[in-house]
Amino acid sequence: MSFQIIAARHPHDKDFPRAHGVNVRLSLLNGTFYSYQPYPFHQEYAGNEYIPLHDRAPNTHTGTNQLRTVIDDHVSMLFGDGHFPEVDTANAVVRKATKDFIKDVGLVERMREAARLGSVGSVGIHLKVLQRPGGPARMFVDVHTTAYLTPEYDEYAPDTLIKVTELYKVRGERVRELGYSVPDDSLQALWFVQRVWDELGEWWFVPWKVEDQARSDRPHVPVIDHDKSVTHELGFCPWVWIGGLNTEIDGPCTFDAGIEEAIQLDMLDSQIGRALKYTMDPTLLMLVPSAVPMMAAPVTGETTESAGQTPTGQGMAKTPSTVLTMDAEGDAKYLEIAGGGIEAASAYIKRQKSNLIETLHGDRVNPEEVTQGHQGAKSLEMLNSSLLMHTEKLRVTYGEGALLRLLRMALKVMTTVSVTMNEEIAVVTGGWTDLALRWGDFYPLTPSDEDQTATALKSLIETGIISKETATKIVASHYDIENVAEERAKVEKEQAAADLRAQAQAEHAAKIAPVKSSGIKD
């Protein structure tokens, strides 16, 4: 398989068995997957030996770009504009605090980044609480790739994270930049750097040389650096670990099924590009009646010194100023590539791109093919049912599984530490056991959709199938209703006022109405 061959060329450290798989898939997202290919695509031979395609770096990235596009489709439907969930709770103070937290830490963008990086199988979200001496604290959210992170869960509560360990290697130069003393002869040596987060603090360890770790007679024991370590005593490990679509350390990569096909598309599209260049610069074949045949030579782009003269046995640079002369029995022809193969390959690429999108549950709606009758929200949902089904799974993983956990952590911090958000001190009182997420529609409703929804809800209310409060919850996200109970109270208050006005107008009209004549004359 091409993927396995190319991936094997990426750096692989036996001390970090997980890192290779994570980093290779991340390289597909950031466009560096082909960085370790030994040859450029246009080079077909190394000496007299043919270079196979899997040893070349394609010069077009149709397939791998499509992988990134599909992941962006997933992220857009999950946390894109208008898709980020609203926080729902009966506690107005908690509701305001969570909204302020989301805005202050830029959580919308952080969660988008987490969903994108987490597509490789796992991602870590770190809640940081930083406080100046004697001043209020502030909270920040960082998103981390997991190649060099290892989580540890509570044995009796498998969904509770109790520790996260970071361990990676750097050169001695970097260790010295971190503030440690490193001998000059060890600046190029590899060193281990380790940090651990748990419910009590963030613990730094004194870096140690890799070669010391490998000593069997006296293996190295990490030593805590108390000067760099920080004790926070939050009572919980300030991390959220997302293991793909399950609770394992690394879940399945969401685009694994399309990687091999994406590589093939890159190679094929690069070949089509070369074929087009060949058709623009066809090979010249000269039939010269001579005992010594003409030999073709690579075109260098340099103009021949004697234009119009082509010595036997030498190549000719093709330029607009070149004049070919030969005797009466000679002949010259251009060898051109037929366009049928290029057209067939282009059609194949188009079909395979569509298959790739379908395999990875991407956005299948083509704006050029969507007619006026298929622009409603429900029509688009049906067209994109595969994408929306996948997004529903991601809502569970990144919404209930990650975002809610992070919000609860932030609320716990606000109750124990004086935190500044949006230049104000956060105040949290009461509980938040009912904290939930309210997701909106995947596609905005059209006026026609709104009218049909209103008619259907009215019918359900009048027949006693649902209550007005339930109907309000159904349309709450679309009409930006933050608190359903408060909204219902406002509606009832306005309705009562409208009834009083109607009653007063009716009474006033009755007083001023003329008395009807009985038809009896005095």
Side-chain angles (χ1 to χ4, degrees), residues 489-505:
K490 292 179 182 178
V491 170
E492 292 173 0
K493 183 179 179 180
E494 292 175 357
Q495 185 62 48
D499 292 342
L500 288 175
R501 288 195 301 271
Q503 182 179 356
Q505 291 174 356

Side-chain angles (χ1 to χ4, degrees), residues 29 67-76 115-116 119 254-255:
L29 292 182
L67 287 181
R68 293 189 285 273
T69 299
V70 171
I71 298 304
D72 289 341
D73 289 341
H74 295 166
V75 174
S76 177
R116 183 175 182 273
S119 64
T254 57
F255 55 86

Side-chain angles (χ1 to χ4, degrees), residues 365-383:
V365 176
N366 187 345
E368 297 178 357
E369 298 177 357
V370 176
T371 63
Q372 186 66 31
H374 294 85
Q375 293 180 357
K378 296 302 179 183
S379 297
L380 291 175
E381 287 180 1
M382 288 187 289
L383 287 172

Side-chain angles (χ1 to χ4, degrees), residues 409-419 426-430 432:
M409 286 183 185
L411 290 170
K412 289 180 181 178
V413 173
M414 295 178 209
T415 59
T416 57
V417 181
S418 179
V419 178
V427 178
V428 176
T429 57
W432 54 81

Side-chain angles (χ1 to χ4, degrees), residues 266-492:
D266 286 346
M267 297 298 182
L268 181 57
D269 202 22
S270 298
Q271 286 179 301
I272 290 177
R274 295 210 69 196
L276 289 174
K277 293 177 182 178
Y278 285 142
T279 59
M280 297 170 63
D281 187 19
T283 301
L284 179 63
L285 174 65
M286 293 182 292
L287 303 178
V288 180
S290 173
V292 181
M294 297 290 293
M295 299 298 293
V299 177
T300 62
E302 299 177 356
T303 305
T304 55
E305 295 182 359
S306 56
Q309 301 298 323
T310 307
T312 301
Q314 297 181 9
M316 181 190 71
K318 295 178 291 183
T319 68
S321 61
T322 301
V323 178
L324 177 65
T325 61
M326 59 183 63
D327 61 27
E329 297 181 1
D331 191 12
K333 298 178 180 179
Y334 280 117
L335 300 181
E336 299 183 274
I337 297 176
I342 297 177
E343 293 177 0
S346 299
Y348 176 80
I349 285 180
K350 183 177 180 180
R351 184 175 72 251
Q352 292 305 101
K353 284 179 63 178
S354 177
N355 292 341
L356 184 61
I357 293 173
E358 183 176 3
T359 299
L360 300 180
H361 309 288
D363 188 348
R364 301 188 64 197
V365 176
N366 187 345
E368 297 178 357
E369 298 177 357
V370 176
T371 63
Q372 186 66 31
H374 294 85
Q375 293 180 357
K378 296 302 179 183
S379 297
L380 291 175
E381 287 180 1
M382 288 187 289
L383 287 172
N384 256 341
S385 58
S386 179
L387 169 62
L388 303 189
M389 177 184 66
H390 183 75
T391 306
E392 288 283 2
K393 296 179 181 178
L394 296 179
R395 282 183 171 183
V396 175
T397 301
Y398 290 91
E400 282 70 16
L403 182 55
L404 270 182
R405 290 178 184 272
L406 188 63
L407 292 177
R408 292 190 181 105
M409 286 183 185
L411 290 170
K412 289 180 181 178
V413 173
M414 295 178 209
T415 59
T416 57
V417 181
S418 179
V419 178
T420 299
M421 291 191 305
N422 300 321
E423 299 183 355
E424 295 181 356
I425 301 296
V427 178
V428 176
T429 57
W432 54 81
T433 56
D434 64 337
L435 195 68
L437 300 177
R438 188 171 66 241
W439 298 89
D441 297 323
F442 286 115
Y443 295 102
L445 298 178
T446 63
S448 176
D449 293 330
E450 292 177 341
D451 183 63
Q452 293 177 9
T453 301
T455 302
L457 292 177
K458 180 181 179 182
S459 175
L460 293 172
I461 293 172
E462 291 176 348
T463 55
I465 297 177
I466 65 173
S467 65
K468 292 183 178 180
E469 183 177 357
T470 301
T472 305
K473 287 182 178 180
I474 294 173
V475 298
S477 59
H478 179 67
Y479 293 102
D480 197 23
I481 300 173
E482 294 185 0
N483 188 290
V484 173
E486 292 180 359
E487 186 70 18
R488 289 301 314 155
K490 292 179 182 178
V491 170
E492 292 173 0

Side-chain angles (χ1 to χ4, degrees), residues 39 64 68 110 131 166 170 188 209 251-252 276 283 285 319 423 430 466 515:
Y39 300 100
T64 47
R68 293 189 285 273
R110 297 284 80 76
Q131 184 174 15
E166 179 185 51
V170 295
Q188 295 304 314
K209 295 176 70 172
L276 289 174
T283 301
L285 174 65
T319 68
E423 299 183 355
I466 65 173
V515 179

